[in-house]
Amino acid sequence: MPVALLYLGILVAAFLLLIVRPQRRQMAAHRALVASLQVGDEVVTSGGIYGTIRSLDDGTIDLEVASGVVLRVARGAIAQRIEPETHPAEGDANELDDGET
C-alpha cells in the first residue's frame, strides 16, 4: 500500500511540473502582452487576423485590417504582437550567401 501512495505522489508531482506550471506561465505571459498593447501596434488575433490597433477600451480593441476596414475584437483575442521586420543593409547581403560561388 505505501508503494502505491509513493507512485501516486510521483504522478501528482509530475503532473504539476509538466502540465500546470507551464500553462500558468503561458497565461501570465498572455496577460502581460494584453496589458502592454498600445495604439499603432501590429498584432495577430487568435483567429489569425492581422491588423493594426486603432483604439483601445477596457475589454475591446478596434483593429484596422485593411484601409478603412476596422474590426472590434476582444482584448483577450490578441495572440501576439508583430515586431517590425528589420532588413539587412545592402552591404550585408553577401553575409547571407550560403558560401557557394
Side-chain angles (χ1 to χ4, degrees):
M1 189 68 161
V3 174
L5 290 176
L6 177 65
Y7 287 139
L8 181 63
I10 291 172
L11 184 64
V12 168
F15 178 78
L16 289 173
L17 287 174
L18 298 175
I19 305 294
V20 175
R21 285 186 63 213
Q23 186 178 17
R24 284 185 183 171
R25 193 174 306 130
Q26 185 178 16
M27 287 174 40
H30 184 257
R31 278 194 302 269
L33 167 73
V34 170
S36 70
L37 293 174
Q38 297 176 352
V39 173
D41 286 347
E42 291 186 23
V43 295
V44 178
T45 67
S46 57
I49 298 172
Y50 286 75
T52 304
I53 296 175
R54 290 298 167 221
S55 70
L56 297 164
D57 291 334
D58 288 337
T60 61
I61 292 176
D62 287 339
L63 191 65
E64 184 175 19
V65 296
S67 181
V69 180
V70 178
L71 301 176
R72 177 163 288 197
V73 297
R75 270 185 102 115
I78 302 301
Q80 66 184 29
R81 179 182 291 123
I82 304 298
E83 299 299 327
E85 293 183 24
T86 56
H87 298 287
E90 299 229 359
D92 295 340
N94 293 335
E95 294 177 12
L96 299 177
D97 196 8
D98 61 359
E100 295 181 24
T101 36

